[in-house]
């Protein structure tokens, strides 16, 4: 119990330093008038006190998402907490089945078990659920959508029809990888993809970010690091992703990249393998992606394709050794791509290596979900 209380304290403390609900100001009041529209949908944010939940609020505000009303939902622990959003103070409510009465769009980020329990209830009540957990991603008939990649997968799903539906947001590493790889795939067809990830603390939630800060301080002070979220020292170290390891030796995070890519590309033949590593970076994932193509694609053409791709920015300056970094993409919408080069282990122009960085709380979670929500309106 003491550990839980300590954990809650850390989480609250750390979230207060995240770029979240903005302070009430005159500017915010003006933006409220633009966003709060009589005809807009009624929105619920499930898991609003978490790392992704708080980012939802930032993204909704930044994009002037039109809404009629917005509900802030979290666990019983947070009920009654106040959150400032677009010039109004909201009270966090405990998530219950009744939470979804009259809700058009429910943005879920409270973990898989909450999604499994409450997602179908929300749908039954007519809401369209955009779910950030892995609960429904591989379920047949549930669209798994990256708006820049496969918007067609959610064709026909709109609010105002009275029919609820589930839409899944892919895993953050998959989103970041495919925003960059898909434009190349469209041109030359990827037959095999090898991904190695360097994943930030933020991917494991607000408490993991705080643990990295705390451990860094402790190690520098010569104290033993507190390991509560992760089982081993994280500061000044790196380790294999903390997702459970499966019988085939891959961990769940790696298999998400394999399976979700096939579903999103609607290509059961594409060969994908991945190694996922947690690195002591606060926010934003990096990925090394090796691509093998059916048709030739030279590096200059690939660079031009990527420069014109939606949601992508190219940072690829060999002479100054300037390439994407997690810091540079933190709090940014675009996925950055660099180190674009011919794979010398393959004959001709049938292979490319690229290095990709993306803010996985933003494009890997909240932004992608809000882009999906925009297509529902
Ligand atoms: N972090 C990422 O980059 C990322 C990316 C993609 C997907 N996701 C997924 O998004 C989900 C949330 O991740 P996160 O990183 O935001 O985690 P987090 O920072 O730990 O936040 C978890 C949120 O879930 C809420 N919650 C927990 N138990 C609940 C309950 N019984 N009823 C209602 N709400 C409950 C928490 O509310 P309290 O504060 O009240 O406990 C909090 O708002 C996970 O499924 C994760 O896999 C995360």
């Amino acid at each position: 119990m003491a550990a839980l209380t300590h954990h809650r304290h850390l989480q609250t403390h750390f979230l207060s330093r995240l770029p979240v609900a903005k302070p009430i100001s005159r500017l915010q009041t003006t933006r409220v008038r633009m966003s709060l529209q009589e005809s807009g949908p009624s929105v619920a944010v499930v898991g609003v006190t978490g790392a992704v939940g708080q980012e939802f609020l930032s993204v909704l505000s930044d994009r002037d998402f039109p809404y009629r009303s917005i509900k802030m939902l979290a666990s019983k622990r947070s009920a009654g907490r106040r959150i400032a959003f677009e010039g109004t103070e909201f009270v966090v409510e405990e998530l219950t089945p009744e939470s979804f009465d009259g809700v058009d769009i429910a943005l879920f980020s409270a973990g898989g078990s909450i999604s499994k329990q409450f997602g179908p209830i929300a749908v039954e009540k007519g809401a369209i659920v955009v779910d950030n957990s892995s609960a429904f991603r591989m379920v047949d008939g549930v669209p798994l959508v990256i708006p820049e990649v496969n918007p067609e997968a959610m064709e026909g799903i709109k609010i105002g029809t009275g029919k609820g539906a589930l839409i899944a947001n892919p895993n953050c590493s998959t989103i970041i990888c495919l925003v960059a790889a898909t434009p190349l795939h469209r041109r030359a067809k990827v037959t095999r993809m090898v991904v190695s990830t360097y994943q930030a603390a933020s991917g494991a939630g607000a408490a993991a970010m705080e643990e990295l800060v705390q451990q860094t301080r402790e190690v520098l002070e010569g104290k033993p690091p507190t390991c509560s979220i992760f089982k081993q020292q994280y500061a000044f170290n790196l380790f294999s992703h903390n997702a459970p390891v499966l019988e085939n030796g891959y961990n769940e995070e790696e298999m998400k990249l394999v399976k979700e890519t096939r579903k999103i590309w609607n290509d059961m033949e594409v060969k994908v393998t991945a190694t996922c590593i947690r690195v002591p970076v606060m926010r934003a994932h990096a990925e090394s992606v090796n691509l093998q193509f059916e048709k030739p694609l030279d590096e200059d053409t690939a660079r031009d394709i990527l420069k014109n791709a939606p949601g992508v920015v190219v940072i690829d300056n060999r002479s100054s050794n300037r390439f994407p970094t997690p810091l540079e993409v933190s709090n940014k919408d675009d996925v950055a791509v660099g180190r674009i080069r011919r794979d010398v282990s393959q004959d001709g122009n049938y292979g490319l290596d690229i290095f990709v960085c993306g803010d996985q709380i933003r494009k890997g979670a909240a932004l992608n979900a809000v882009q999906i929500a925009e297509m529902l309106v």
Side-chain angles (χ1 to χ4, degrees), residues 62-123:
D62 290 349
R63 297 176 73 89
D64 272 325
F65 186 85
Y67 59 89
R68 187 169 70 242
S69 63
I70 188 160
K71 247 184 212 184
M72 312 281 178
L73 302 168
S75 78
K76 200 176 183 167
R77 294 177 292 269
S78 304
R81 200 178 130 187
R82 283 162 198 280
I83 290 185
F85 176 61
E86 300 210 310
T88 304
E89 200 169 72
F90 290 84
V91 177
V92 176
E93 296 171 44
E94 181 187 352
L95 173 66
T96 67
E98 288 68 47
S99 303
F100 300 104
D101 292 344
V103 167
D104 300 308
I105 298 175
L107 303 170
F108 269 68
S109 68
S113 59
I114 298 296
S115 294
K116 278 187 188 146
Q117 187 184 347
F118 288 94
I121 295 172
V123 171

Side-chain angles (χ1 to χ4, degrees), residues 3-17 206-214 217 226 228-229:
L4 181 66
T5 312
H6 178 61
H7 167 79
R8 301 300 314 156
H9 168 74
L10 286 177
Q11 188 166 351
T12 310
H13 167 72
F14 194 69
L15 277 173
S16 66
R17 287 190 272 137
M209 297 165 86
E210 178 57 32
E211 183 153 304
L212 178 56
V213 172
Q214 186 183 358
R217 203 175 286 128
T226 307
S228 44
I229 303 293

